[in-house]
Amino acid sequence: MSKPLISALAQFAAATAGRNMTKTAYVAVGVGVLSMVLLTDNRANEARGWVNGLLWACLVYFVFEWLIRLRHMARQGRLSLYMSSSAGIVDAIGALAVPLALVLGVEPKTAWLLSVLWVLKVVPGIPGLRQLRRVLVLESGPLVSVLVIFLMVIFLASVAEYFLERDVQPQTFGSVPAALWWAVVTLTTTGYGDVVPVTPLGRLVAALVMISGLGVFGLWTGILATGFAAETRRDNFLKTWESVSKVPFFAALGPAAIADVTHMLRTMELPARTLVIRKGTHGDCMYFIAAGEVEVDLPGKKVQLGEGAFFGEMALLGNNKRGANVSTTKVSRLLVLDLVDFRVLMARHPDLAETIDAEAKRRALENT
């Protein structure tokens, strides 16, 4: 076996040993699930051999992936931790579910339905899943309270409809369990129409249940939306704090002052060769470079500003017209300070005002 091939296999095994999904794993999940769907379609009988081959290839890959990770974790002394983790359990299910079903004598067409479990492998890579889990944990109390209200309304409504409708519709409301189906369908505003109260009081109860359903799901939506908004603000604050703390211009500030600045700044992520400021336009903000680089197009020369520098302050200190074009030279993260916040910040922190004013005067002299 040639050295390049051995090196490629070693790199592939090293990437597979990690707990994150690789591009190959994503392809295997997509191909495997699609093949499972095609296997259930009788119109694909002519391609059944290809479909089975793809399914077996995907299964072999997931078994290989699982064994590589077992070996890697065993070498690190974390085998038991991996096997008991959610990632380890999902990997084990993906590798063993279908083979065990086949060994136990399950019909192959039915056994391959278990390959749908492969989609669980992509769950850790879904963006925002960690944020959703945190929101659910933080808002678990209100969510459970609304769930209790939901269950109470269902039970009370089913008992009420059983009492009101049992003599009129014994087949559909002849027992509380039968009325529970109606209560769930009505409270969720699904309304199949297969079970409908006919007595006046029964319809009144149904109307109250439908209105309660709107209120219950509105509460759930409001709780989750508020939780997501709070979590998003928290994440944005932490990211901006990290960016602000890396700017040398703010290095001398204390934690309270940095927090004050962080609340005022907003972050911009810009690709390379993006025009940030156009000459002659009205200036209503200034910029701090948290990461990356920008190029200032001055008459007769171009000046590069790197991480920690700031620009755009000239329009806020005097003439509000931009004096030069400014564009990014590579991927950059900029912190934007609007005019109103700029004035508030300068009033609260005179030392920053002096520094910015001194830098503005120095640049004005250089540009003349």
Side-chain angles (χ1 to χ4, degrees), residues 249 286 310 313 317 342 346 352-360:
F249 182 74
M286 68 174 295
F310 58 89
E313 78 289 347
L317 294 172
F342 171 81
M346 295 305 100
L352 293 183
E354 293 175 1
T355 304
I356 291 178
D357 187 54
E359 180 67 14

Side-chain angles (χ1 to χ4, degrees), residues 253 256-258 260-261 344-354:
L253 297 179
I258 291 181
D260 191 19
V261 173
V344 173
L345 184 63
M346 295 305 100
R348 292 180 180 176
H349 303 283
D351 52 338
L352 293 183
E354 293 175 1

Side-chain angles (χ1 to χ4, degrees), residues 270 289-294 305-309 328-334:
L270 298 177
I289 305 174
E293 183 184 72
V294 301
L305 300 176
E307 183 174 330
T328 58
T329 59
K330 55 186 178 182
V331 177
S332 302
R333 184 189 307 115
L334 305 181

